[in-house]
Amino acid sequence: MTERRSLVLASASPARLELLRQAGLSPHVIVSGVDEDALSADTPAELALVLAEAKASVVAGLPEAKGALVIGCDSVLELDGEALGKPADAAEATARWMSMRGRSGVLRTGHSVVDTDSGRQVSATASTTVHFGEPSDAEVAAYVASGEPLHVAGAFTLDGLSAPFIDSINGDHGNVIGLSLPLLRSLLGELGVSITDLWV
């Protein structure tokens, strides 16, 4: 039996870490420190991928990631062709929700996996359509006051206080939370790694 590869998550997201743990994986967390505002791309999907690749690459180059499989992810909400990340403040979060109510957006999550043994990097973006409900002004105000939307891409999350304000989604729910497990399995497969071999 081969020794199980170590796994590193290049993200500070507790939601991504929890998704991986629920899937039987036990990654170490090493935050990349990548300046997200310094990177750009032509489309929201490309931006999510560029950010994910940058995070994975930076962490893969660190001594403490030697020998590991490094997973980098980044999410943005595409609305009206724009990439919306975490809102800067409560006013922006409120305005965001006022514009999203009753509409649909596409949550784009870039995924990148680096095999530090071979140096190979594989990447792809997963997309899930999110249909927003119509919370009242008071509900939006209460949600923004909770502080949660300031810490998540698009100012919402499926696994938190905003869940009642999401009517439905088309696609992978994990992708909206922060990481698509089916896509991760596919990327690991491209590197010759079975996800079942990484189970704890």
Side-chain angles (χ1 to χ4, degrees):
M1 184 177 168
T2 57
E3 187 179 343
R4 188 173 68 239
R5 297 288 302 275
S6 62
L7 204 58
V8 169
L9 176 61
S11 169
S13 165
R16 290 190 182 110
L17 180 60
E18 185 58 27
L19 280 169
L20 292 169
R21 285 177 171 165
Q22 288 172 356
L25 308 174
S26 182
H28 303 288
V29 173
I30 303 176
V31 181
S32 68
V34 166
D35 179 4
E36 299 182 19
D37 295 331
L39 299 173
S40 62
D42 292 335
T43 68
E46 290 169 349
L47 178 61
L49 196 63
V50 164
L51 290 167
E53 288 179 338
K55 290 177 177 181
S57 297
V58 166
V59 171
L62 299 174
E64 55 266 45
K66 185 173 167 52
L69 295 159
V70 178
I71 303 167
C73 293
D74 199 87
S75 301
V76 297
L77 176 69
E78 180 173 345
L79 193 70
D80 297 329
E82 283 190 57
L84 305 175
K86 298 173 186 172
D89 52 32
E92 187 177 330
T94 301
R96 184 91 52 90
W97 264 98
M98 296 303 188
S99 70
M100 295 189 308
R101 285 193 297 200
R103 301 178 63 202
S104 300
V106 181
L107 202 289
R108 312 273 190 192
T109 300
H111 297 63
S112 186
V113 183
V114 178
D115 182 342
T116 62
D117 276 350
S118 68
R120 288 187 62 204
Q121 182 170 17
V122 292
S123 309
T125 299
S127 302
T128 303
T129 301
V130 181
H131 304 285
F132 296 100
E134 298 194 40
S136 67
D137 288 358
E139 287 172 326
V140 169
Y143 179 53
V144 172
S146 77
E148 182 182 89
L150 300 180
H151 305 291
V152 287
F156 78 97
T157 180
L158 276 183
D159 63 343
L161 298 176
S162 58
F165 309 141
I166 312 297
D167 281 353
S168 63
I169 65 168
N170 297 106
D172 178 2
H173 80 284
N175 187 56
V176 181
I177 295 171
L179 188 148
S180 168
L181 290 164
L183 179 55
L184 176 62
R185 173 182 164 269
S186 174
L187 292 174
L188 288 168
E190 287 184 46
L191 295 171
V193 177
S194 170
I195 198 166
T196 58
D197 290 338
L198 300 173
W199 285 346
V200 177

